């Protein structure tokens, strides 16, 4: 099977995630979309790794998974904190850092 | 121990006294602070004697030693050491400074008894003595400047000692500002010396100067003129003298110590120390000589008209320092220093008697109010007469020999210097008149109210505490003089100090009688052997002729003072009315304050106001607020990006990366 399909799928997933981040306002959905983008990257790494024939790309994919797990911990923690303080769970409402 | 080790101790002891008294002022009682301060300076005097003994144990040509503790700065050809230089000149100076200081500390122990600032007073006094010793012991120009600035500060702090008196604080500031002008001159001179000779060290500078400079070259003349600015400001010579009479706002022991006996003679020391340079710059030396002459004459005429006891003595100090400056400038080094020593004795004594009399007058200093103290205070009166005789150069007193030795030298050098001798004798006549004017107005006659009170009750008269200059009401808390005053008759430390000084004032001249003995000059001369001018010596006959003239002038002056103020007391009033312009000129101090105010102070104030109203408002504010507006406007534009919308940031990020990716893709194909 040609590498093209893998890359196309990866690009599709990445674009979906990016569109989700740009269009959705719920922090949870944004977090999900971020995961989608990371995994699109992972897919591309693994596919290239298969094509080249060594394991380095797959190792990178594992590292990205670890980073993603950490990021989810922080992100979810923030969301819980926002919820606890009874702030709106809406990124357009949370704009106190306006310059 | 070597001479330099003792000299380090001389320097260390007053510093130690200052530190102990100032840091321990809560822990140690006032009396103890006085004892510590006095003992520190007294021990320092003993160490100075040890230095002298050590030097005398060596050959006359080997009596100069440099010693340094560590290097201050050593880089790029700069080599400044924390070092002292001990030779005949500095040994002589430390003996005079510590000796007179010890006696004045003793006097202050009694005189300042009731003052609330007793600790502060003694820590300042000790600090002053340390600074003065640093000044005279310094082994290079940098340390000299340090000592020079320290004594300036000590003088400022002590003039303003009663810091709640506005007149005292103003006088302190005036003294400080004028002294800083002198400091600038001294610093510039040191820069020039370093530029030309590459070193600050005394030994190297004086050894190399004759080879580097031709006699009369403009650089060395400039150096000497700048040194003179420093010397004139410190020694209250025209036109930098106006601070000294105002400095009398300080406590009387301060006037006695700093503004009569020691600090104001620093200029004399400076010229004597740098005599090698002054020999190479005859123009500068002549300038100094004539300024000294002018000062001694002008100050003498002013002193005749003043009615404030301490100010009159202050003008007399200026006048006597004029003699010394004139002496060391024209080459009479040892003679000038001789007069420095005798002047320290009798002028310190005169100020002490003035302090005693002012105490009895409940702080009033106006001699118009004083009379009849001979019957009220016998000891103080006697001391006033002794000090007055020495100041007026009465035959066989110390001032008689020292003043005439300078004038005999001027005459022996001949040429235009003869005129200096003539001017000096005119000054001596004025000295005799103004000194005995004070004596004859204060001592004889019917006792004034305050003196009568002292005779009747045996206690001092106590008026309400007022500022003697303005008559303002004061209290007796810290920052003002204390509640009680003290006179020599009732306070043994004051009496002892005055007695010792009176001995010096009467008999110190006997160590240097022309043709009889040569103790002082024999000791000092090797220090000045490198100047050909020091070799000029009047013959014994010429000296005795000078002494005879001096004796006649002194006796005639005293007699004239007696005639004017005792026998025919209506005559001075007649003179005042007939010669009103002359009288006003002298009373108003030759209008020097007004002239300086007009020439310096007002233009400086005008420039300041212009800078404040125009330059500051328009240029400085314009630049500052212009910069602020530009930065603020630019950041206002950039700030709109920070909208706070998370998704717009994400869009920027993604669009940015997409743009970059597109760019590289297009580049790759």
């Amino acid at each position: 099977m040609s590498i093209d399909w893998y890359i196309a799928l990866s690009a599709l997933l990445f674009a979906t995630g990016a569109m989700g981040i740009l269009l959705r306002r719920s922090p949870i959905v944004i977090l999900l979309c971020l995961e989608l983008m990371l995994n699109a990257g992972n897919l591309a790494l693994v596919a290239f790794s298969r094509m080249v024939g060594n394991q380095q790309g797959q190792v990178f994919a594992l590292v990205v998974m670890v980073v993603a797990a950490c990021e989810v911990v922080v992100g979810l923690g923030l969301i819980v904190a926002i919820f606890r303080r009874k702030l709106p769970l809406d990124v357009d409402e949370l704009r106190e850092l306006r310059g | 121990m070597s001479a330099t080790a003792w000299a380090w101790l001389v320097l260390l002891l007053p510093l130690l006294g200052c530190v102990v008294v100032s840091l321990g002022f809560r822990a140690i009682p006032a009396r103890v602070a006085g004892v510590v301060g006095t003992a520190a300076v007294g021990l320092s005097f003993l160490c100075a004697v040890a230095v002298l003994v050590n030097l005398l144990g060596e050959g006359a040509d080997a009596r100069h030693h440099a010693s340094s503790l560590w290097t201050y700065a050593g880089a790029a050809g700069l080599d400044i050491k924390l070092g002292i230089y001990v030779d005949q000149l500095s040994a002589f100076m430390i003996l005079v400074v510590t000796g007179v200081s010890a006696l004045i500390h003793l006097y202050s122990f009694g005189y300042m008894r009731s003052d609330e600032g007793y600790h502060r007073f003694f820590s300042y006094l000790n600090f002053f003595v340390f600074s003065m010793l640093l000044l005279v012991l310094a082994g290079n120009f940098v340390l000299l400047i340090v000592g020079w600035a320290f004594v300036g500060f000590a003088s400022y702090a002590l003039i303003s000692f009663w810091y709640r008196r506005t007149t005292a604080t103003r006088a302190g500031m005036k003294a400080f500002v004028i002294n800083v002008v002198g400091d600038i001159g001294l610093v510039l001179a040191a820069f020039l010396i370093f530029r030309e000779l590459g070193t600050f060290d005394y030994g190297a500078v004086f050894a190399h100067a004759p080879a580097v400079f031709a006699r009369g070259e403009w650089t060395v003349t400039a150096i000497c003129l700048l040194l003179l600015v420093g010397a004139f400001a410190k020694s209250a010579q025209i036109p930098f003298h106006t601070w000294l009479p105002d400095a009398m706002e300080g406590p009387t022991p301060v006037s006695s110590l700093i503004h009569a006996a020691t600090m104001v003679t620093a200029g004399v020391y400076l010229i004597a120390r740098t005599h090698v340079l002054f020999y190479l710059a005859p123009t500068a030396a002549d300038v100094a000589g004539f300024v000294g002459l002018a000062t001694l004459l002008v100050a003498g005429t002013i002193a005749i008209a003043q009615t404030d006891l301490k100010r009159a003595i202050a003008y007399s100090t200026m006048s006597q320092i004029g003699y010394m400056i004139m002496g060391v400038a024209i080459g009479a080094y040892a003679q000038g220093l001789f007069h420095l020593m005798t002047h320290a004795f009798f002028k310190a004594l005169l100020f002490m008697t003035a302090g005693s009399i002012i105490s009895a007058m409940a702080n009033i200093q106006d001699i118009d109010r004083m009379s009849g103290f001979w019957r009220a205070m016998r000891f103080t009166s006697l001391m006033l007469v002794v000090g007055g005789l020495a100041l007026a150069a009465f035959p066989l007193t110390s001032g008689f020999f020292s003043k005439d030795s300078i004038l005999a030298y001027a005459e022996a050098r001949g040429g235009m210097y003869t005129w200096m001798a003539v001017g000096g004798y005119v000054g001596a006549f004025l000295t005799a008149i103004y000194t005995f004017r004070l004596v004859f107005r204060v001592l004889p006659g019917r006792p004034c109210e305050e003196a009568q009170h002292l005779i009747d009750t045996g206690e001092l008269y106590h008026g309400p505490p007022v500022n003697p200059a303005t008559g303002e009401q004061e209290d007796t808390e810290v920052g003002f003089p204390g509640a009680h005053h003290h006179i020599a008759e009732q306070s043994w430390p004051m009496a002892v100090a005055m007695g010792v000084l009176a001995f010096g004032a009467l008999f110190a001249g006997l160590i240097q009688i022309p043709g009889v003995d040569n103790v002082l000059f024999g000791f000092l001369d090797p220090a000045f052997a490198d100047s050909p001018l020091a070799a000029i010596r009047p013959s014994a006959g010429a000296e005795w002729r000078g002494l005879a003239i001096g004796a006649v002038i002194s006796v005639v002056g005293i007699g004239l003072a007696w005639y004017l103020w005792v026998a025919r007391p209506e005559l001075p009033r007649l003179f005042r009315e007939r010669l009103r312009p002359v009288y006003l000129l002298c009373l108003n101090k030759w209008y020097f304050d007004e002239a300086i105010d007009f020439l310096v102070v007002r233009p400086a104030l005008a420039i300041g106001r212009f800078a404040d109203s125009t330059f500051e408002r328009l240029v400085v504010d314009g630049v500052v607020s212009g910069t602020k507006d530009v930065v603020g406007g630019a950041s206002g534009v950039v700030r709109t990006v920070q909208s706070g919308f998370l998704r717009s940031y994400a869009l920027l990020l993604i669009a940015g990366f997409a743009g970059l990716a597109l760019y590289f893709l297009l580049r790759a194909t």
Side-chain angles (χ1 to χ4, degrees):
Chain A
M1 207 154 74
S2 149
I3 188 103
D4 296 355
W5 294 105
Y6 294 105
I7 300 304
L9 178 61
S10 167
L12 196 68
L13 280 173
F14 191 89
T16 315
M19 290 313 285
I21 284 171
L22 291 181
L23 298 179
R24 301 298 296 265
R25 292 186 300 183
S26 160
I28 297 175
V29 177
I30 289 175
L31 219 52
L32 289 175
C33 293
L34 269 179
E35 289 300 310
L36 213 54
M37 287 166 75
L38 285 169
N39 282 315
N42 274 353
L43 182 60
L45 282 170
V46 174
F48 282 124
S49 167
R50 278 291 295 275
M51 184 190 85
V52 175
N54 66 17
Q55 312 300 312
Q56 287 168 0
Q58 302 187 25
V59 171
F60 267 117
L62 285 172
V63 172
V64 170
M65 281 178 202
V66 172
V67 172
C70 300
E71 174 246 306
V72 166
V73 168
V74 175
L76 285 178
L78 278 173
I79 291 167
V80 171
I82 292 169
F83 181 74
R84 283 248 183 98
R85 303 184 71 186
K86 306 219 186 316
L87 294 171
L89 275 176
D90 181 340
V91 291
D92 284 3
E93 300 285 319
L94 298 169
R95 47 181 302 201
E96 275 164 33
L97 285 179
R98 180 176 49 196
Chain B
M1 279 197 338
S2 68
T4 47
W6 284 113
W8 281 113
L9 269 185
V10 169
L11 202 54
L12 184 69
L13 282 164
L15 179 65
L16 213 62
C18 167
V19 170
V20 168
V21 172
S22 52
L23 293 185
F25 77 100
R26 283 187 201 284
I28 52 181
R31 282 316 84 187
V32 180
V35 172
V36 169
T38 311
V41 181
L43 288 175
S44 179
F45 173 66
L46 293 182
C47 295
V49 172
V51 171
L52 178 70
V53 170
N54 259 300
L55 283 187
L56 289 178
E58 295 163 333
D61 294 332
R63 288 173 186 165
H64 50 86
H65 307 278
S67 155
S68 64
L69 283 191
W70 67 80
T71 302
Y72 246 13
L78 198 65
D79 182 25
I80 303 167
K81 291 191 174 69
L82 183 71
I84 57 173
Y85 187 71
V86 180
D87 65 348
Q88 291 94 334
L89 176 56
S90 48
F92 168 82
M93 287 302 292
I94 58 174
L95 274 171
V96 173
V97 169
T98 54
V100 175
S101 301
L103 291 173
I104 291 167
H105 275 69
L106 187 65
Y107 178 88
S108 315
F109 186 73
Y111 186 83
M112 298 298 286
R113 235 187 131 92
S114 311
D115 202 286
E116 298 288 333
Y118 199 77
H119 288 91
R120 191 161 56 89
F121 187 74
F122 273 95
S123 65
Y124 283 169
L125 271 197
N126 271 349
F127 176 74
F128 165 75
V129 176
F130 162 71
S131 321
M132 187 70 202
L133 291 169
L134 187 67
L135 194 165
V136 296
L137 277 173
N140 54 54
F141 281 96
V142 175
L143 219 54
L144 170 81
I145 291 168
V146 172
W148 199 267
F150 276 8
V151 291
F153 166 73
S155 161
Y156 161 77
L158 281 164
I159 294 168
S160 316
F161 179 74
W162 287 319
Y163 55 83
R164 286 172 64 198
R165 264 188 186 168
T166 44
T167 49
T169 48
R170 287 179 72 94
M173 281 189 268
K174 184 170 175 183
F176 195 73
V177 168
I178 294 181
N179 270 301
V180 164
V181 174
D183 293 353
I184 292 170
L186 190 60
V187 169
L188 291 179
F191 281 159
L192 265 182
I193 287 171
F194 185 75
R195 201 188 71 172
E196 299 297 321
L197 296 166
T199 176
F200 285 118
D201 193 62
Y202 280 165
V205 167
F206 300 141
H208 295 149
V212 174
F213 301 119
R215 191 153 188 243
E217 197 183 321
W218 74 267
T219 32
V220 72
T221 308
I223 290 172
C224 286
L225 287 174
L226 287 168
L227 286 175
L228 282 181
V229 172
F232 288 170
K234 205 55 111 196
S235 292
Q237 300 295 296
I238 290 171
F240 300 107
H241 65 284
T242 54
W243 65 272
L244 184 63
D246 288 10
M248 297 300 125
E249 289 286 344
T252 306
V254 172
S255 313
S256 178
L257 175 62
I258 301 184
H259 306 119
T262 54
M263 185 189 86
V264 287
T265 58
V268 181
Y269 165 78
L270 181 70
I271 298 177
R273 172 58 81 200
T274 55
H275 66 272
V276 176
L277 301 177
F278 276 94
Y279 174 71
L280 294 170
T283 317
D286 290 343
V287 167
F290 279 107
V291 168
L293 180 66
T295 308
L296 80 90
L297 290 173
V298 169
T301 55
I302 297 173
I304 291 183
Q306 295 303 307
T307 55
D308 182 309
L309 181 59
K310 281 179 75 180
R311 276 172 194 251
I313 306 180
Y315 279 106
S316 151
T317 303
M318 264 175 65
S319 169
Q320 299 303 309
I321 296 169
Y323 279 103
M324 301 174 210
I325 294 272
M326 187 175 87
V328 292
I330 63 176
Y333 309 116
Q335 289 90 335
L337 293 167
F338 181 32
H339 196 53
L340 187 159
M341 178 183 80
T342 58
H343 174 258
F345 294 154
F346 60 67
K347 192 51 67 64
L349 175 65
L350 275 177
F351 268 116
M352 287 180 178
T353 55
S356 194
I357 290 168
I358 291 166
S359 284
M361 292 292 294
N363 271 353
I364 289 169
Q365 305 186 358
D366 189 354
I367 57 171
D368 286 342
R369 293 274 310 273
M370 301 174 187
S371 63
F373 270 102
W374 175 252
R375 290 173 58 193
M377 296 160 74
R378 207 43 73 82
F379 178 77
T380 303
S381 305
L382 201 64
M383 293 295 119
L384 181 62
V385 172
V386 167
L389 285 176
L391 172 58
F394 193 76
L396 303 183
T397 57
S398 59
F400 174 63
F401 293 109
S402 59
K403 185 184 291 176
D404 279 312
S405 71
I406 296 176
L407 301 181
Y409 178 94
E411 203 195 334
R413 197 168 165 195
M416 66 175 178
Y417 302 104
T418 317
W419 289 105
M420 290 192 182
V422 172
Y425 281 120
V426 173
F429 186 59
L430 292 174
T431 309
I433 295 176
Y434 69 66
T435 310
F436 274 82
R437 165 175 172 262
L438 297 180
V439 173
F440 289 139
R441 293 191 68 172
V442 173
L443 296 189
R446 259 191 49 211
C448 60
E449 190 188 340
E450 289 86 353
Q452 192 61 46
H453 184 85
L454 185 60
I455 297 171
D456 293 343
T457 64
E459 284 171 11
L460 296 183
Y461 179 86
H462 272 110
V466 292
N467 182 336
T470 60
E472 278 169 36
Q473 280 283 313
E474 294 178 343
D475 57 43
T476 57
E477 290 299 303
V478 63
F480 281 132
H484 299 284
H485 308 304
H486 303 278
I487 59 173
E489 277 76 2
Q490 299 173 358
S491 167
W492 67 266
M494 292 168 69
V496 169
M498 286 159 73
V500 175
L501 281 174
F503 181 81
L506 281 180
F507 302 117
L510 300 182
I511 60 172
Q512 185 63 49
I513 304 174
V516 178
D517 54 6
N518 194 27
V519 177
L520 188 69
F521 294 177
F523 175 68
L524 285 174
D525 275 341
F528 303 111
D530 45 4
S531 168
L533 294 177
I536 301 175
R537 266 295 139 78
S539 64
E543 291 216 43
W544 279 103
R545 194 178 66 232
L547 284 177
I549 298 172
V552 170
I553 284 176
S554 163
V555 173
V556 169
I558 294 171
L560 183 63
W562 177 82
Y563 184 72
L564 283 178
W565 281 285
V566 180
R568 302 280 304 277
E570 72 280 2
L571 272 184
R573 209 186 56 237
L574 210 62
F575 278 134
R576 279 208 293 274
E577 282 161 9
R578 291 279 166 79
L579 300 171
R580 194 157 178 77
V582 178
Y583 169 70
L584 281 180
L585 182 70
C586 294
L587 181 71
N588 292 311
K589 309 146 198 168
W590 287 48
Y591 298 99
F592 268 106
D593 273 314
E594 287 76 7
I596 290 174
D597 187 60
F598 181 74
L599 290 176
V600 181
V601 178
R602 277 163 199 273
L605 278 178
I607 291 170
R609 261 195 297 274
F610 168 77
D612 179 48
S613 61
T614 313
F615 189 75
E616 170 84 18
R617 297 279 152 76
L618 294 184
V619 180
V620 177
D621 279 3
V623 170
V624 169
S625 54
T627 313
K628 187 208 81 182
D629 288 346
V630 168
V631 173
S635 52
V637 175
V638 179
R639 219 167 52 198
T640 52
V641 179
Q642 299 283 329
S643 58
F645 280 117
L646 188 64
R647 295 186 301 155
S648 74
Y649 299 161
L651 179 63
L652 274 177
L653 193 70
I654 290 166
F657 271 108
L660 270 180
L662 211 60
Y663 171 74
F664 283 117
L665 277 176
L666 290 177
R667 279 282 300 266
T669 50

